[in-house]
């Protein structure tokens, strides 16, 4: 039983919104308000920020977040955890985010066209997460004298009016900490070009904090990507992953995560999907308030969103909405996400400038991994839309392995696609990739690994699909083409062509040491 008096079994009977409401009422009885502004388990967001769908969260200016009595001098608060992401239009919009260990006054970004010219100063908003220490499960030792509240300050600046294909330099600061005076690190980013051209992007899921997570982070930099996709289960601060108020949780893990990835994420936009370990009922009715305080979603007000870069459109979905395996947030959008997906796919397929559609989300549409296998909710609600609108590539995490299917239509293999093969999605269907080996502990397959240099084709494979009521329905699988038990990174190279010629999307899997273990080429004739 928890300190609030609820058991995991009781929590499992409640929706995410019901858990949040119960928690809100429970903590209000032992409120630990600081200065009357910051409440337990609360998401407080700056005027331009998000709180998922939690409209009840108060909105306050950065200057009035906390009383000044216990505010550290700004000169002792050093910004950290820089991470960036695209706005709705990657050619001219970028979102910059970072952390401060305490409340600060007037946070800002200095930006310019060169490291020596950072004259433009832009205001940043503050999003605060406040969590009762007694409601957490610390992963490290707890000091004899510790604060009763864990407060995390996320600073965000939304940039607009940038030039396409241009590199900008930036530093961050606040009153008392001027980066020019403190010789702070200068970071850079490059906006998307307005014209079609070759580029690379990377992807993985299930990272966490580990030696191997550090290694895969730096694998990203080695690919020189335009952007990076993270298919969910980002930090594992929520350690249990059931989406229950009784799950183990240490919000400070997020601080370590952002420090771990800063060297890459401060320069390469990270576009994040919600995994089951991102369901945090402490902050909002939909469990996404914490994620919304930490990240930006391409200008959208929810954790499902899209953006386009060159000839590739990327859609990010929140699979917790349709999960049968982990149902804490099943149906939370009331069908709005699936309706949005259909509308978005239809619009993208009408665009002459888009050759390929890539979709990322956490739970696997197709996987034989022994731990989670396949998600029946995804197959029921989304796979028919992928078929109908010709989605080229689907990227998942959840299973901590690498696995690629043959191209599928209606769940059936249209052609064998061994490593090195070329697939034509317009006629042969969608390729599904699990890239969940970003750094957390690895899982296993029920059949032998089979990858480039160690091919061992096995078919059929006995697996299962997660069904309503958290049931596991056995199935015999013929679509598992490549399997690899190890840490990995997905690198995707886009080579656009002119009208009447063939554009190619080359999907490469790289192991934790940088060696290629799989490759498949997706080809589309440009209209």
């Amino acid at each position: 039983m928890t300190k609030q008096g609820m058991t995991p079994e009781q929590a499992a009977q409640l929706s995410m919104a019901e858990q949040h409401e119960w928690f809100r009422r429970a903590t209000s009885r032992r409120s630990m308000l600081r200065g009357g502004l910051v409440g337990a388990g609360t998401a407080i967001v700056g005027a331009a920020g998000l709180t998922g769908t939690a409209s009840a969260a108060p909105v306050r200016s950065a200057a009035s977040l906390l009383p000044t009595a216990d505010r550290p001098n700004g000169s002792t608060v050093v910004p950290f955890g820089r991470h960036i992401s695209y706005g709705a239009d990657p050619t001219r919009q970028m979102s910059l985010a970072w952390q401060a260990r305490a409340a600060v006054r007037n946070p800002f970004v200095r930006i310019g066209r060169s490291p020596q010219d950072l004259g433009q100063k832009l205001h940043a908003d503050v999003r605060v997460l406040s969590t009762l220490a007694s409601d957490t499960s610390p992963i490290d030792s707890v000091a004899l004298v510790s604060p009763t509240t864990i407060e995390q300050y996320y600073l965000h600046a939304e940039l607009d009016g940038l030039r396409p294909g241009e590199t900008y330099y930036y530093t961050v600061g606040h009153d008392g900490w001027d980066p020019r005076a403190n010789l702070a690190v200068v970071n850079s980013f490059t906006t998307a070009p307005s014209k079609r051209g070759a580029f690379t992007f990377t992807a993985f899921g299930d990272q966490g904090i580990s030696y191997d997570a550090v290694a895969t982070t730096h694998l990203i930099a080695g690919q020189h990507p335009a952007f990076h996709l993270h298919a969910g289960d980002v930090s594992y601060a929520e350690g249990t992953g059931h989406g229950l108020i009784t799950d183990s949780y240490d919000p400070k893990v997020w601080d370590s995560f952002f420090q771990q990835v800063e060297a890459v994420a401060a320069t390469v936009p990270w576009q994040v999907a919600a995994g089951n370990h991102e369901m945090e009922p402490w902050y909002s009715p939909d469990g996404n308030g914490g994620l919304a305080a930490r990240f930006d979603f391409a200008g959208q007000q929810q954790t499902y969103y899209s953006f386009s870069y060159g000839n590739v459109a990327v859609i990010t979905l929140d699979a917790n909405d349709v999960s049968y395996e982990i149902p804490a947030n099943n149906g939370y959008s009331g069908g709005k996400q699936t309706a949005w997906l259909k509308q978005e796919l239809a619009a993208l397929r009408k665009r002459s400038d888009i050759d390929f559609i890539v979709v990322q989300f956490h739970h696997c549409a197709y996987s034989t991994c022994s731990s989670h296998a396949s998600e029946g909710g995804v197959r029921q609600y989304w796979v028919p839309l992928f078929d109908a609108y010709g989605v080229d590539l689907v990227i998942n995490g959840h299973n901590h392995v690498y696995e690629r299917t043959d191209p599928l239509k209606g769940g059936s293999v249209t052609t064998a696609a061994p490593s090195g093969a070329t697939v034509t999605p317009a006629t042969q269907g969608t390729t599904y990739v699990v890239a969940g080996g970003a750094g957390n502990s690895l899982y296993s397959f029920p059949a032998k690994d089979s990858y480039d240099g160690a091919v061992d084709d096995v078919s059929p494979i006995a697996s299962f699909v997660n069904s309503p009521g958290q049931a596991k329905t056995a199935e015999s699988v013929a679509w598992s083409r490549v399997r690899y038990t190890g840490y990995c990174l997905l690198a995707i190279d886009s080579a656009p062509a002119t009208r009447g010629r063939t554009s190619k999307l080359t999907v490469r899997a790289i192991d934790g040491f940088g060696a290629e273990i799989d490759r498949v080429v997706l080809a589309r004739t440009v209209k």
Side-chain angles (χ1 to χ4, degrees):
M1 183 172 291
T2 71
K3 292 181 176 65
Q4 294 83 28
M6 180 177 285
T7 66
E9 291 76 18
Q10 291 170 328
Q13 302 302 310
L14 303 178
S15 69
M16 184 72 64
E18 290 170 334
Q19 291 183 70
H20 175 74
E21 177 60 19
W22 175 88
F23 178 75
R24 188 187 65 80
R25 292 182 178 182
T27 54
S28 68
R29 292 191 294 270
R30 52 189 180 90
S31 176
M32 33 58 69
L33 296 175
R34 294 188 60 186
L37 292 179
V38 180
T42 305
I44 297 185
V45 182
L50 307 173
T51 55
T53 60
S55 59
V59 176
R60 307 211 181 252
S61 68
S64 64
L65 279 170
L66 289 176
T68 58
D70 60 353
R71 185 197 304 269
N73 187 299
S75 63
T76 68
V77 180
V78 181
F80 72 99
R82 298 159 183 82
H83 54 287
I84 68 175
S85 60
Y86 287 129
D89 181 357
T91 66
R92 61 183 182 87
Q93 296 175 332
M94 191 72 73
S95 299
L96 311 182
W98 66 99
Q99 283 184 261
R101 64 177 177 83
V104 295
R105 292 186 181 276
N106 302 316
F108 60 84
V109 171
R110 289 193 182 277
I111 187 169
R113 302 292 296 281
S114 78
Q116 292 76 37
D117 180 18
L118 301 175
Q120 188 172 4
K121 186 177 180 181
L122 304 173
H123 171 74
D125 292 310
V126 184
R127 306 175 191 174
V128 183
L129 294 180
S130 183
T131 314
L132 279 174
S134 59
D135 291 319
T136 70
S137 304
I139 63 170
D140 293 323
S141 299
V142 178
L144 290 176
V145 179
S146 299
T148 58
T149 309
I150 299 168
E151 289 164 353
Q152 295 169 301
Y153 300 86
Y154 295 94
L155 301 309
H156 293 256
E158 311 292 331
L159 308 184
D160 201 351
L162 304 172
R163 297 180 181 179
E166 293 286 343
T167 297
Y168 292 85
Y169 298 85
Y170 74 95
T171 60
V172 299
H174 50 261
D175 284 1
W177 181 269
D178 190 320
R180 293 186 297 186
N182 287 280
L183 299 178
V185 173
V186 177
N187 298 108
S188 66
F189 63 83
T190 302
T191 55
S194 58
K195 298 180 180 179
R196 294 160 65 93
F199 67 94
T200 296
F201 64 97
T202 53
F204 59 40
D206 305 85
Q207 190 173 15
I209 309 296
S210 72
Y211 169 86
D212 295 290
V214 172
T216 54
T217 297
H218 289 285
L219 281 179
I220 297 171
Q223 298 299 311
H224 307 288
F227 57 88
H228 177 66
L229 304 180
H230 199 306
D233 281 8
V234 181
S235 74
Y236 288 84
E238 205 280 20
T240 312
H242 296 157
L244 304 181
I245 200 72
T246 53
D247 284 357
S248 62
Y249 179 56
D250 186 351
K252 292 181 291 184
V253 171
W254 280 106
D255 301 343
S256 298
F257 172 81
F258 284 119
Q259 190 71 38
Q260 172 184 271
V261 303
E262 182 175 23
V264 177
T267 299
V268 177
W270 282 42
Q271 310 298 138
V272 173
N276 57 294
H277 284 271
E278 275 71 66
M279 292 189 289
E280 298 171 349
W282 299 272
Y283 304 117
S284 68
D286 64 1
N288 290 326
L291 199 65
R294 303 177 187 106
F295 293 97
D296 297 291
F297 308 121
Q300 301 297 313
Q301 298 297 309
Q302 64 276 325
T303 51
Y304 49 95
Y305 59 96
S306 70
F307 68 93
S308 298
Y309 189 107
N311 68 328
V312 176
V314 178
I315 294 176
T316 297
L317 300 175
D318 182 352
N320 294 314
D321 192 19
V322 296
S323 176
Y324 292 139
E325 179 197 12
I326 305 173
N329 231 4
N330 183 279
Y332 84 89
S333 78
K336 291 181 180 179
Q337 180 176 199
T338 300
W340 172 88
L341 172 62
K342 181 177 180 179
Q343 183 180 27
E344 195 71 11
L345 287 172
L348 289 170
R349 270 294 165 235
K350 292 178 181 178
R351 286 176 52 177
S352 60
D353 62 322
I354 297 298
D355 299 330
F356 299 101
I357 299 176
V358 176
V359 180
Q360 74 151 343
F361 51 90
H362 187 61
H363 302 252
C364 301
Y366 294 96
S367 178
T368 61
C369 181
S370 302
S371 295
H372 298 296
S374 304
E375 176 54 66
V378 168
R379 292 193 191 178
Q380 179 179 345
Y381 292 103
W382 294 347
V383 166
L385 296 178
F386 301 158
D387 290 340
Y389 294 101
V391 169
D392 299 276
L393 176 66
V394 170
I395 299 170
N396 299 137
H398 203 37
N399 285 300
H400 302 181
V401 291
Y402 175 82
E403 187 170 18
R404 176 175 62 80
T405 71
D406 288 323
L408 301 176
K409 276 192 172 183
S412 298
V413 174
T414 59
T415 187
S419 184
T422 296
V423 172
T424 56
T427 58
Q428 294 176 330
T430 306
T431 297
Y432 295 82
V433 174
V434 178
N440 207 272
S441 56
L442 295 170
Y443 294 165
S444 62
F445 292 105
K448 291 183 178 180
D449 281 14
S450 181
Y451 55 93
D452 198 9
V455 176
D456 191 353
D457 287 331
V458 178
S459 186
I461 297 173
S463 187
F464 65 90
V465 57
N466 291 282
S467 304
Q470 296 182 283
K472 295 180 179 180
T473 302
E475 65 176 359
S476 183
V477 168
W479 36 254
S480 179
R481 177 55 55 184
V482 180
R483 295 173 300 281
Y484 174 74
T485 305
Y487 298 104
C488 63
L489 172 70
L490 204 61
I492 301 102
D493 308 312
S494 176
T498 56
R499 182 176 299 179
R501 297 182 179 274
T502 301
S503 289
K504 295 181 178 180
L505 202 65
T506 301
V507 182
R508 299 178 288 119
I510 300 166
D511 72 12
F513 301 99
E516 187 173 300
I517 57 172
D518 184 32
R519 173 187 291 250
V520 65
V521 178
L522 310 181
R524 275 191 178 269
T525 300
V526 181
K527 297 180 180 180

